[in-house]
């Protein structure tokens, strides 16, 4: 599968079917700090992705107005 990390712009190619939560953990990312997106679909940790997928992991940024 093709994985793009945003906002870093880093791109990875990974092989093998896996749960989204396992994918995030295998990349050393803390759960809940990224959105996992396939096309127009937001994925949850218990959904599966496989070799044919193109996935975007987008960092969740929060903040407030000063």
């Amino acid at each position: 599968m093709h994985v793009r990390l945003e906002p870093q712009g880093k791109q990875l190619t990974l092989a093998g079917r896996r749960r989204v939560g396992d994918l995030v953990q295998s990349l050393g990312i803390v759960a809940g700090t990224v959105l996992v997106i396939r096309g127009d679909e937001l994925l949850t940790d218990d959904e599966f992705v496989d070799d044919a997928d193109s996935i975007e992991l987008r960092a969740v940024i929060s903040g407030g107005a000063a």
Side-chain angles (χ1 to χ4, degrees):
M1 79 190 72
H2 177 77
V3 179
R4 188 175 74 230
L5 303 172
E6 294 294 344
Q8 301 91 340
K10 185 175 180 181
Q11 298 191 25
L12 307 167
T13 301
L14 303 172
R17 185 175 194 259
R18 62 188 81 190
R19 286 181 343 108
V20 168
D22 295 337
L23 169 66
V24 170
Q25 184 177 16
S26 73
L27 295 173
I29 298 171
V30 176
T33 63
V34 292
L35 299 175
V36 181
I37 303 162
R38 178 177 50 206
D40 293 334
E41 181 184 12
L42 183 61
L43 302 176
T44 60
D45 286 348
D46 60 343
E47 293 185 76
F48 282 87
V49 291
D50 60 35
D51 291 346
D53 288 324
S54 181
I55 305 297
E56 177 180 338
L57 276 66
R58 189 176 306 170
V60 176
I61 300 170
S62 63

